[in-house]
Amino acid sequence: MEAIMDIIGGLLMVGGACFLLFGGLGLIRMPDIYNRIQAGSKTTTLGTLLTLAGAACLQPAWGWKLLLIGIFLIFTNPVSAQVLASTAHRRGAHQSPLTEVDRLAEDREGKA
Amino acid sequence: MDKLVNKHRSGRLRSGIILFFVLMLFWLMLSSQLRIDVFVIGTIVALVIVLLYGDGLSFLTELRLTPKAILTGFQYYGYFFKELFKSNFKLAGIVLSPSLPINPAIVKVRTRLQSRMGRLMLANSITLTPGTLSVEMDGEWLYVHWVCMETADIEQATARIVSGFESYLEVMYG
Amino acid sequence: MVEILIMLAAGITGAAFLLALGRFVLGPSRFDRVVAFDVLTVIAITFIVLAALLENRGIYLDAALVYALLSFLGVIAIARYLEGRF
C-alpha cells in the first residue's frame, strides 16, 4: 500500500514539474507581457499544487502544512498576476501586434 | 437608530467569531499537533488579532454559512480544479505547438456579484481558467485578457467567461 | 525508486527554472522581469518542498511557507513601485 502511494506521489511530482516546464517555455515563447503572465500564473499554480499533493502522498504527516501552502498559493498567485497585469497596462507596456481588441484602452481614452 | 447600531454590533461580533476560527484553523494546521500549550498560545494570539483588526479584515468573513452555501462551496472547488486542469492542458498545447496559435485581446465583461470577496474570488477564478486573465476591475465591469479570443461582444464574452463561476459564487457570497 | 522520481521532478523543475531565468535576463521590459521573478519564486517553493522530501526534514516546509508569503508581498510591492504609488 505504501509503495503504491509512493509511486503515485512521485508521478504527481513529475507531472507538476512538467507543467512548470511548460510555464517556463511559455514565458520564453509568448510575444507580450499579458500572454507571459498567463503562461506563468496558471502553470506555476497547478505545477506547485501537484508537487505539494505528491509530497503529501509521500509524507502524510506533513499533509496539513502542505495544504496550508497550497491554500496560500491558490489565493495569492492570481492576485499577484492580476496586479502585475493592471500595472503593466497602466504604464503602457508593449503589446503584441497580434492583439485584436483592447476595450480597456478604448474606455480609458473615452474617459480622458 | 438603536436597531441599526445593534445590527452593526452583531455583524461585528459575527465577523469577529468567524475570523477567530479561521485564524485558529490556520494556526493548528501550521503547528500540525493538538497539544494544550499550542492550543492556548493560538487562542491568545487569535483573540488579540481579532480585537485589534476585527473590522479591518471583515472581507474574510463575508461568506455565508448556510448549508446550501457550504455545499455550493464544495461544488465550486470541484468545478474550479476541473477548469484549472483544462486551462493548463490548453496552455501546454499552445506553448508546445510550433506555430504558437494565439489571438489575444482584452475584452470587457460584467458581473452580477455585489460583495467584495465574491468579486475577488471571481477575478481570481477567471485568472486561473482557460486562456483568461483579469487585468482590471471597475465596479461591476471586469477587463479580461483572452489568449484565444472567441468574441469581443460584452454579452457573449460574459456568458463564456463569467457565468460558470458566477452561479456558484452568487450562492456563496451574494 | 521514489528517489529517482523525485530527482527526475527536480531535474525538470530545474529546466523550468533556467527558462524563467532566461526571461529574467532577456527582459526586455521591467514588467517581463517582474513576471519572471514571480515565476522563479514559485518554482523555488517547489524546490524547497522537493529538498524537504529528499532530506526528510519537515522543518523546510516552514521555510517554503514564509518564502511564499514574502514572494507575494515582494511582487505586490514591486508592482506598486512600478506604478509610481510610493
Side-chain angles (χ1 to χ4, degrees):
Chain A
M1 189 58 209
E2 207 165 280
I4 298 173
M5 283 303 273
D6 280 4
I7 299 295
I8 292 175
L11 289 178
L12 278 176
M13 283 194 287
V14 173
C18 286
F19 280 117
L20 288 178
L21 184 65
F22 296 149
L25 207 58
L27 215 53
I28 290 287
R29 288 200 69 198
M30 288 296 194
D32 71 357
I33 176 87
Y34 306 103
N35 295 306
R36 282 176 196 148
I37 293 175
Q38 293 237 17
S41 64
K42 289 184 224 303
T43 53
T44 53
T45 309
L46 186 63
T48 312
L49 282 183
L50 286 179
T51 309
L52 294 174
C57 288
L58 294 178
Q59 294 273 6
W62 297 354
W64 290 112
K65 224 175 251 184
L66 291 167
L67 182 63
L68 197 60
I69 301 177
I71 292 174
F72 194 76
L73 278 174
I74 285 188
F75 277 94
T76 58
N77 246 350
V79 172
S80 55
Q82 195 202 324
V83 168
L84 277 177
S86 82
T87 303
H89 198 278
R90 276 190 206 148
R91 305 298 286 186
H94 163 77
Q95 221 169 34
S96 155
L98 289 169
T99 309
E100 294 194 358
V101 207
D102 188 344
R103 297 267 183 236
L104 184 52
E106 285 169 21
D107 283 8
R108 285 248 165 82
E109 273 165 29
K111 267 179 207 164
Chain B
M1 189 65 198
D2 260 7
K3 225 177 187 176
L4 206 75
V5 170
N6 268 337
K7 198 180 166 200
H8 184 65
R9 261 195 206 139
S10 73
R12 270 191 75 159
L13 188 68
R14 177 180 175 276
S15 70
I17 290 171
I18 298 176
L19 182 62
F20 177 80
F21 279 107
V22 169
L23 290 171
M24 272 308 270
L25 185 68
F26 278 14
W27 167 248
L28 290 177
M29 277 165 79
L30 183 65
S31 50
S32 303
Q33 48 195 342
L34 274 174
R35 291 208 321 265
I36 187 80
D37 51 343
V38 169
F39 201 78
V40 169
I41 291 173
T43 312
I44 294 170
V45 175
L47 265 179
V48 169
I49 293 175
V50 168
L51 290 178
L52 284 179
Y53 298 101
D55 257 4
L57 298 173
S58 62
F59 66 91
L60 277 175
T61 57
E62 272 174 6
L63 73 169
R64 294 179 186 164
L65 284 173
T66 58
K68 196 185 168 210
I70 292 170
L71 189 71
T72 316
F74 282 111
Q75 286 170 345
Y76 164 78
Y77 278 105
Y79 183 69
F80 174 82
F81 280 111
K82 204 183 80 192
E83 293 288 302
L84 184 59
F85 267 94
K86 249 172 43 190
S87 80
N88 272 272
F89 281 113
K90 198 173 160 189
L91 204 96
I94 293 174
V95 170
L96 290 178
S97 68
S99 61
L100 205 67
I102 60 171
N103 178 24
I106 296 181
V107 298
K108 191 176 177 182
V109 296
R110 189 211 300 262
T111 172
R112 292 197 304 267
L113 298 173
Q114 295 299 325
S115 67
R116 285 178 297 173
M117 194 64 186
R119 283 181 179 167
L120 172 72
M121 293 284 282
L122 181 71
N124 278 0
S125 308
I126 288 174
T127 301
L128 291 177
T129 52
T132 51
L133 164 76
S134 31
V135 176
E136 188 75 80
M137 211 170 192
D138 184 13
E140 58 175 356
W141 299 105
L142 268 167
Y143 297 89
V144 178
H145 181 265
W146 208 348
V147 169
C148 297
M149 186 199 63
E150 291 158 22
T151 166
D153 182 69
I154 290 178
E155 298 303 323
Q156 284 178 29
T158 304
R160 296 264 172 87
I161 298 175
V162 179
S163 328
F165 285 109
E166 204 174 44
S167 55
Y168 294 106
L169 289 170
E170 208 165 28
V171 182
M172 285 162 69
Y173 295 101
Chain C
M1 179 63 199
V2 180
E3 277 77 21
I4 299 172
L5 284 176
I6 296 177
M7 291 307 276
L8 182 63
I12 299 172
T13 312
F17 195 86
L18 285 180
L19 285 172
L21 202 62
R23 178 48 69 200
F24 187 80
V25 173
L26 288 175
S29 73
R30 300 169 292 179
F31 305 107
D32 295 297
R33 295 212 164 88
V34 184
V35 173
F37 170 77
D38 189 23
V39 173
L40 284 173
T41 54
V42 181
I43 293 177
I45 294 166
T46 312
F47 266 132
I48 296 175
V49 173
L50 292 176
L53 281 173
L54 283 176
E55 308 239 322
N56 200 11
R57 289 201 185 173
I59 196 78
Y60 285 11
L61 294 183
D62 294 299
L65 193 64
V66 172
Y67 203 75
L69 215 113
L70 285 180
S71 81
F72 172 63
L73 290 179
V75 169
I76 298 286
I78 296 169
R80 284 284 172 266
Y81 167 70
L82 289 178
E83 210 165 283
R85 284 214 190 156
F86 280 142

